[in-house]
Amino acid sequence: MTKSTRMAPGTLGAHRDAGEAFTAGGVGSFLRAEGDGEPVVCIHGMLGSSFGYRKVLRELASRGLRGIAWDLPGFGLAERPRKYDYSWTGLGRFCTAAVNTLNIDRFHLVVHDIGGPVGFELAAACPERVLSLTILNTVVDVTGWTPPWTMRPFRWPVIGELWSAGMVPPAFRFLMKLQGIGDYSQVSKAEINTYLTLMKGDDRGRAFLKVSRSAQATAEKQELYRQVVGSRSYPVQVVWAAQDPAMPAGTYGEKARAAAGLAAIDRIPGKHFPQEDQAAAIATRVASIALARKKSAQN
């Protein structure tokens, strides 16, 4: 973390003060956790960090669970090593190291955006520790994945650097209102600005660009992720913000549903970041699957 980040006032400072630093797999990161009870590990995606789950963690805690979210390397308050494997495999390896470092034995798993592939890597590495899986606006069939137009420029050399440099607060807030948040009254300007600050970090988004360019949209990864999602070792649910223009329910959501072998998607209101305006709805569904699993295990 830079000095300016450590001393950040307001929303960013409150976020920093609500969590703690930790190191996993040789990389320094940042963790937020709330509540007691069974752990719920929440994996963020692009434009995200543990900050994006702050409301969900609070709602999980109020339902008798322990919500946990950390920053992936290259995001938020985590370190951004120049020589690091920012692929889904590499970020998944970090998550496996994190659950070990934090002594999280068995856990419910919530994944969102590219946190889906990253979280699937975690689940594939230790399936016996996964209590349930909640899939939230992410991608399973990665060979057919196309980033939304707002994210596509980041993947191109030179253009990506220019797009990142042009991502100033007013433009970023416009894009988040357009694609990110359904009920914009539920989030403040300062909170949206914090997303951008945490995205760019102290390296002006260099690591973020590396993540954007390290996607592994291969047939081998798709088969692995289908196995994770279709596992019968733990219950799986697909919860989808129905107005998401970046990952529409009718395509990405339906593919996730089919991979999980479910009859239907559990649709909630919202766009691509329902953690901001639908935190209670998300936490309710996670608590529901956790309770159902516990009752099933007792019978």
Side-chain angles (χ1 to χ4, degrees):
M1 294 177 236
T2 64
K3 181 177 180 181
S4 60
T5 300
R6 288 197 303 269
M7 298 179 67
T11 303
L12 181 56
H15 168 60
R16 176 211 59 210
D17 292 343
E20 60 184 283
F22 77 104
T23 300
V27 180
S29 185
F30 179 80
L31 168 80
R32 284 190 68 159
E34 287 192 43
D36 298 302
E38 291 183 331
V40 180
V41 171
C42 304
I43 309 295
H44 71 80
M46 300 297 288
L47 301 181
S49 68
S50 58
F51 177 79
Y53 278 111
R54 68 200 182 283
K55 297 177 183 178
V56 175
L57 301 183
R58 184 167 58 247
E59 294 290 346
L60 289 169
S62 72
R63 289 160 175 78
L65 296 166
R66 179 164 177 76
I68 301 167
W70 54 68
D71 293 345
L72 296 171
F75 293 87
L77 299 176
E79 291 179 345
R80 305 174 178 222
R82 286 188 173 274
K83 295 182 179 180
Y84 190 79
D85 181 2
Y86 287 107
S87 68
W88 295 338
T89 299
L91 296 176
R93 191 179 299 119
F94 171 84
C95 290
T96 303
V99 296
N100 291 332
T101 296
L102 298 169
N103 296 314
I104 303 172
D105 184 15
R106 303 194 71 195
F107 54 90
H108 301 279
L109 182 60
V110 178
V111 299
H112 172 254
D113 192 79
I114 69 148
V118 174
F120 301 152
E121 296 280 343
L122 169 61
C126 53
E128 72 285 351
R129 295 165 71 174
V130 178
L131 295 172
S132 74
L133 173 61
T134 297
I135 297 169
L136 180 67
N137 293 62
T138 187
V139 58
V140 177
D141 285 359
V142 296
T143 59
W145 172 62
T146 302
W149 68 267
T150 51
M151 299 299 296
R152 215 167 296 154
F154 290 121
R155 307 182 76 186
W156 303 328
V158 182
I159 293 175
E161 280 74 9
L162 293 173
W163 188 250
S164 178
M167 198 63 68
V168 294
F172 185 78
R173 291 195 301 270
F174 170 77
L175 292 176
M176 285 292 276
K177 186 173 185 179
L178 181 69
Q179 292 195 335
I181 301 170
D183 184 356
Y184 210 67
S185 69
Q186 297 301 306
V187 62
S188 68
K189 180 186 293 187
E191 287 172 316
I192 297 299
N193 290 347
T194 298
Y195 270 88
L196 181 60
T197 300
L198 290 169
M199 182 196 92
K200 292 197 173 185
D202 57 4
D203 67 348
R204 293 180 294 181
R206 173 186 48 79
F208 176 86
L209 292 173
K210 287 188 175 182
V211 177
S212 301
R213 297 164 185 172
S214 300
Q216 296 168 292
T218 66
E220 291 76 16
K221 286 299 184 185
Q222 178 165 299
E223 179 59 29
L224 176 64
Y225 301 159
R226 282 182 175 178
Q227 291 174 10
V228 168
V229 172
S231 174
R232 295 296 177 264
S233 301
Y234 41 78
V236 178
Q237 63 181 342
V238 175
V239 180
W240 216 269
Q243 290 79 46
D244 184 356
M247 291 186 173
T251 51
Y252 292 100
E254 281 299 321
K255 288 179 179 180
R257 178 202 62 75
L262 299 173
I265 299 171
D266 186 351
R267 298 174 185 245
I268 61 175
K271 295 183 180 178
H272 190 62
F273 290 94
Q275 298 97 320
E276 287 295 338
D277 59 332
Q278 297 297 324
I282 294 168
T284 294
R285 283 153 176 81
V286 175
S288 178
I289 200 172
L291 179 60
R293 189 214 64 84
K294 183 178 288 188
K295 287 182 177 178
S296 177
Q298 292 172 346
N299 292 335

